[in-house]
Amino acid sequence: MARERYPGAMTATPDTAPDGDWLRLDSQICFSLHAASRAFNGVYRVILKDLGLTYPQYLVLLVLWEQDELPVKQLGERLRLDSGTLSPLVKRLEAAGLVRRERSAEDERSVLVHLTEEGAALRGRAMEVPRRIMSATGFDPAEIGELRTRLDQLTAALDAAASAEARSAR
């Protein structure tokens, strides 16, 4: 079966790679993204310490500050987290008094996550976080927007590639 071409497929061969070797660590975009992610996590760890949050907890709260009540399933989809990762996060936020969980009245299988008053109030204290992160990057707002757009495009291309790979593997 012929493999389906997907956006972002490698068009160069290793002998035409920019530095001549596609298997060098420094040639891997995934490693550049991994290193940047780890660096971000380090900065967030320091900044979020004042709020008593971890970076993943902060992400959960960002979603809930946008929409106060969400089923765990939708929260996981929005954050691209599976329930095995998300459930302990939500439980820790609940133990900290920032969210509460309750069964949906419409569907007993669904668990809804709500902000508590304390969780909603924390939003005001978190308003400084994006400014501090932008300052740490050294990028201006336009550069941050451009980078976010490119990363969103990269994510969409990789999602499409993963789907194509899964289809061709069947």
Side-chain angles (χ1 to χ4, degrees), residues 22-127:
W22 280 103
L23 294 180
R24 290 181 43 84
L25 181 64
D26 292 343
S27 296
Q28 307 301 309
I29 188 172
C30 59
F31 183 72
S32 294
L33 288 168
H34 171 73
S37 178
R38 289 188 55 87
F40 259 117
N41 287 339
V43 172
Y44 270 106
R45 187 177 308 110
V46 172
I47 292 172
L48 294 174
K49 186 176 183 179
D50 294 341
L51 299 176
L53 297 173
T54 64
Y55 176 68
Q57 291 170 338
Y58 175 69
L59 294 180
V60 169
L61 289 175
L62 284 174
V63 173
L64 293 173
W65 288 330
E66 288 178 28
Q67 187 173 350
D68 175 32
E69 174 184 287
L70 275 178
V72 170
K73 183 177 179 177
Q74 284 182 13
L75 188 58
E77 288 169 357
R78 183 83 194 276
L79 294 171
R80 300 176 70 107
L81 294 174
D82 60 49
S83 62
T85 302
L86 184 58
S87 291
L89 273 173
V90 172
K91 285 180 183 177
R92 284 193 296 278
L93 287 168
E94 187 174 40
L98 300 174
V99 302
R100 74 179 193 290
R101 294 175 298 154
E102 64 183 41
R103 294 257 171 226
S104 168
E106 291 86 38
D107 180 358
E108 293 269 330
R109 297 169 297 174
S110 180
V111 175
L112 300 174
V113 182
H114 304 266
L115 286 170
T116 62
E117 278 187 41
E118 187 178 344
L122 189 58
R123 185 179 192 279
R125 290 182 47 214
M127 293 296 287

